[in-house]
């Protein structure tokens, strides 16, 4: 069934474009005013573009929900290598290799698929809506440069929420994982309509 489903989905053309962010009342304790060190902080995180993390991924949506272990997620510039393990839907070990606008997905049974629509391919293979291209930015605490965004900061002058592409990304916990870098996310939750993606990071490493 999967082999029949994927080619059909790959024929779908998704329309892109910037999203206008609706201005809504700010949650209590939040501000859109960046802290004084935000420019330097975001520059440091943007330059931190060769890294590896491990942790857990949980997806909840009306059709299917499940969890996966992130064995490794290595990012080098725009290229990513994400290895997941999960018993959910018989996924087993699944590997995602890609760049913005391109994904190669390797399933545990050896089948390999590739697409210029990464989210469509992930959805076909796993049943999960996973905004993988944007996650490579959100995971560091940065908005994706691909579309409009809105940033909210808490009373500790820490990034609390990113609104982008219809998603609300909440930064639930930050930790000082790497010396000489700002704190990095240890737990983030991305919400869109009735879908939720949660990532808990147990370890960050700088790669040479």
């Amino acid at each position: 069934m999967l082999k029949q489903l994927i080619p059909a989905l790959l024929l779908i053309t998704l329309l892109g474009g910037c999203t206008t962010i609706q201005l809504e009342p700010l949650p209590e304790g939040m501000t859109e005013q960046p802290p004084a060190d935000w420019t330097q902080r975001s520059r440091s995180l943007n330059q931190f573009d060769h890294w590896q993390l491990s942790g857990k991924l949980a997806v909840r949506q009306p059709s299917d929900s499940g969890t996966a272990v992130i064995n490794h997620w290595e990012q080098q510039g725009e290229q990513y290598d994400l290895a997941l393990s999960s018993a959910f839907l018989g996924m087993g070990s699944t590997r995602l290799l890609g760049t913005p606008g391109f994904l190669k997905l390797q399933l545990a049974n050896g089948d390999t698929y590739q697409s210029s629509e990464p989210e469509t391919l992930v959805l076909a293979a796993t049943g999960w809506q996973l905004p993988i291209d944007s996650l490579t930015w959100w995971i560091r605490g940065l908005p994706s440069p691909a579309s409009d965004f809105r940033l909210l900061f808490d009373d500790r002058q820490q990034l609390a929420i990113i609104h982008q592409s219809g998603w609300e990304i909440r930064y639930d916990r930050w930790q000082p994982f790497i010396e000489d870098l700002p704190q990095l996310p240890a737990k983030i939750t991305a919400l869109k309509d009735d879908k939720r993606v949660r990532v808990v990071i147990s370890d960050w490493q700088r790669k040479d």
Side-chain angles (χ1 to χ4, degrees):
M1 181 177 181
L2 177 61
K3 291 183 178 180
Q4 295 173 342
L5 179 61
I6 289 180
L9 286 171
L10 298 187
L11 293 176
I12 299 174
T13 301
L14 299 181
L15 297 178
C18 292
T19 302
T20 301
I21 303 300
Q22 300 271 337
L23 293 181
E24 300 174 351
L26 294 176
E28 186 176 354
M30 299 288 178
T31 178
E32 290 184 292
Q33 181 63 41
D37 66 344
W38 172 247
T39 299
Q40 179 57 45
R41 189 191 312 175
S42 58
R43 183 183 297 117
S44 296
L45 293 174
N46 189 65
Q47 293 172 348
F48 176 54
D49 63 353
H50 191 189
W51 46 262
Q52 181 172 305
L53 65 77
S54 56
K56 292 183 179 180
L57 171 71
V59 177
R60 187 182 70 187
Q61 54 190 41
S63 56
D64 293 300
S65 299
T67 61
V69 174
I70 303 174
N71 298 310
H72 72 254
W73 178 347
E74 182 171 352
Q75 188 83 22
Q76 183 170 10
E78 294 189 327
Q79 297 181 341
Y80 57 84
D81 177 354
L82 174 56
L84 303 173
S85 294
S86 176
F88 177 66
L89 291 182
M91 280 173 56
S93 298
T94 303
R95 194 170 180 188
L96 288 73
L97 303 160
T99 58
F102 177 80
L103 174 65
K104 180 167 72 173
L105 188 146
Q106 300 174 346
L107 299 177
N109 62 6
D111 289 345
T112 300
Y113 303 92
Q114 60 186 38
S115 172
S116 60
E117 301 290 354
E119 289 188 39
T120 304
L121 180 54
V122 172
L123 179 63
T126 67
W128 293 352
Q129 184 171 351
L130 192 66
I132 183 65
D133 283 353
S134 295
L135 271 176
T136 61
W137 293 88
W138 298 341
I139 199 72
R140 284 178 289 165
L142 294 169
S144 166
S147 63
D148 293 344
F149 57 86
R150 186 187 190 195
L151 306 181
L152 299 181
F153 301 86
D154 60 24
D155 53 10
R156 296 169 297 175
Q157 298 189 322
Q158 186 64 273
L159 179 64
I161 296 174
I162 296 176
H163 287 283
Q164 189 167 33
S165 302
W167 288 87
E168 177 178 289
I169 304 91
R170 300 177 181 174
Y171 291 88
D172 305 312
R173 188 167 69 247
W174 297 79
Q175 289 182 208
F177 284 99
I178 299 177
E179 188 177 357
D180 299 328
L181 270 183
Q183 291 190 8
L184 291 165
K187 181 180 178 182
I188 72 171
T189 303
L191 304 164
K192 183 178 184 181
D193 301 325
D194 50 7
K195 292 172 278 292
R196 185 186 76 187
V197 178
R198 177 167 290 161
V199 183
V200 178
I201 300 104
S202 56
D203 184 58
W204 280 93
Q205 294 182 23
R206 190 198 302 268
K207 303 291 287 186
D208 295 328

